Amino acid sequence: MAKTTKIIRRSIYIFLQNYQHFTTTVAVLAIPFAASILLSQALVPSSSSLLPLIHNRLKTLFQAAGFPPSSEFFSILSLKLSQTISSSIFTLPFSLTFLLLAKASIIQVLRQHKPTFPPSFSSLFSAFSPLFHTYICNSFLILSANATVFSLLLIAFNFLEGSGFSSPNCILFLSAAGAVLYSIVLANALIISNLALIISGMESCGGYLAMLKACVLIRGRTSVALSLALPANLVLAGIEALFQYRIVRAYRLGGVASHSMAFEGMFIAYLYSISVVLDTVISCMFYKSCKIGSWIEQEDRISYYSNQTDTAGDDKEGYVNLKNCEENV
């Protein structure tokens, strides 16, 4: 917990130190992505075809796979998954452009000891290219994580049904265990994906190589990453709820979009973009903390092995001296 607090304090200090750049150039770059996220929460549920189509297909897929139709867990899961997929499709063009450009701009500032404001276009593009490849690979990682959990749950439910333990209590218990397993796997996949994006910008390596480095770097530091991701996600969820209450609810009640409502919506989108910027700064500070910890561990291992070698050499030398003394006697 102390390490998490230290990283957050350091991130806030870095954010305030570069306040003008982060709240103007970078935040403006992230506003289209923030607006797309907020609007997708309002437009996707009311869309006439996309969300019901994906929801029905997921329900049909779960039923064909053999999941119990009476399980409330899979009903809620299919609805949430369909909303997530619909929102991701809606925001994908903005994620691949404005979000990655904003992250590249932040990384270019934090990877240099004496950054230049604003970063040059060539340096921004050089950081954007590996970020783009890593983002595509991250999408496959998250899809693979979902598929793995669903496969395990399918095997568990089929085994339960084949063993004759198909009572509602058993289904409820297994559904609860599946919810916990799904949350753990998805949280770890998202943490690795986020760290892989930072590594691809910091070390100019994209794709699966950045993901492998993230898996190695985060080893033993998962709890710190989770404790850092939780407050950031809570803040983003709170801003989304604020948009739903102040803008979407007011529009549905009044039926007319006023100028004040538009300005308020833009301000909420700006708050969301600032939160995305701060979350990226925290991720960069976590990456640097992991690198420092990795270097310290590597130096400790080197010093340990060198001490072991020296001790073995001293023992061997002492044995030779003792043998010589015996021979002289």
Side-chain angles (χ1 to χ4, degrees):
M1 186 64 186
K3 193 170 186 178
T4 303
T5 307
K6 184 179 180 180
I7 293 174
I8 293 177
R9 289 176 58 187
R10 177 65 178 169
S11 303
I12 294 174
Y13 172 77
I14 294 294
F15 178 81
L16 294 177
Q17 192 178 27
N18 306 292
Y19 179 79
Q20 186 175 1
H21 175 67
F22 286 152
T23 56
T24 53
T25 306
V26 183
V28 169
L29 275 175
I31 278 181
F33 166 76
S36 68
I37 288 287
L38 296 174
L39 288 174
S40 67
Q41 307 295 325
L43 297 178
V44 169
S46 61
S47 62
S48 58
S49 59
L50 184 60
L51 180 60
L53 177 64
I54 296 176
H55 187 208
N56 292 331
R57 291 295 175 88
L58 284 177
K59 286 179 63 177
T60 304
L61 181 63
F62 285 160
Q63 291 174 3
F67 291 115
S70 59
S71 176
E72 190 175 351
F73 166 69
F74 289 104
S75 300
I76 297 173
L77 182 61
S78 62
L79 177 61
K80 293 299 181 183
L81 273 178
S82 58
Q83 290 176 349
T84 303
I85 293 171
S86 304
S87 178
S88 300
I89 293 173
F90 183 83
T91 60
L92 183 61
F94 301 94
S95 301
L96 292 175
T97 52
F98 295 103
L99 176 63
L100 294 185
L101 283 173
K103 285 183 176 290
S105 180
I106 296 169
I107 291 171
Q108 284 300 105
V109 170
L110 297 181
R111 71 184 294 186
Q112 303 172 5
H113 295 289
K114 293 182 179 180
T116 57
F117 297 103
S120 63
F121 180 78
S122 60
S123 63
L124 200 62
F125 182 76
S126 64
F128 174 81
S129 182
L131 283 172
F132 181 85
H133 292 108
T134 307
Y135 191 91
I136 299 297
C137 294
N138 286 343
S139 302
F140 287 108
L141 173 64
I142 294 172
L143 286 175
S144 302
N146 281 276
T148 302
V149 174
F150 292 149
S151 300
L152 293 175
L153 290 177
L154 175 61
I155 294 171
F157 274 106
N158 287 334
F159 177 78
L160 196 69
E161 186 177 358
S163 303
F165 299 100
S166 57
S167 63
N169 290 332
C170 292
I171 292 176
L172 179 63
F173 174 77
L174 191 57
S175 299
V180 174
L181 176 65
Y182 180 75
S183 301
I184 293 173
V185 173
L186 189 61
N188 281 274
L190 291 174
I191 288 172
I192 291 172
S193 300
N194 191 27
L195 185 59
L197 280 176
I198 303 301
I199 291 175
S200 62
M202 289 286 188
E203 302 182 10
S204 299
C205 61
Y208 292 107
L209 179 59
M211 294 171 61
L212 289 174
K213 288 186 176 182
C215 293
V216 173
L217 199 60
I218 205 173
R219 188 173 52 189
R221 303 176 179 90
T222 309
S223 58
V224 179
L226 287 172
S227 59
L228 288 172
L230 181 61
N233 286 306
L234 287 176
V235 170
L236 294 176
I239 296 175
E240 291 176 7
L242 178 65
F243 184 83
Q244 289 285 329
Y245 178 77
R246 294 292 302 172
I247 306 301
V248 178
R249 178 175 173 272
Y251 177 75
R252 288 175 178 172
L253 291 176
V256 179
S258 61
H259 293 290
S260 60
M261 190 183 299
F263 284 122
E264 189 174 0
M266 288 295 297
F267 178 70
I268 295 175
Y270 179 74
L271 288 179
Y272 195 94
S273 65
I274 290 291
S275 302
V276 171
V277 171
L278 184 57
D279 179 47
T280 307
V281 174
I282 291 174
S283 299
C284 291
M285 293 299 104
F286 175 66
Y287 161 78
K288 292 185 176 182
S289 174
C290 291
K291 290 294 287 185
I292 293 173
S294 178
W295 290 335
I296 293 174
E297 291 174 1
Q298 188 174 2
E299 288 179 358
D300 290 341
R301 284 196 294 266
I302 292 173
S303 62
Y304 173 77
Y305 288 128
S306 63
N307 290 334
Q308 291 291 98
T309 305
D310 293 341
T311 304
D314 293 340
D315 292 341
K316 186 176 180 181
E317 184 179 354
Y319 174 76
V320 171
N321 292 333
L322 181 60
K323 193 72 174 176
N324 292 331
C325 290
E326 291 175 354
E327 291 175 355
N328 293 330
V329 172

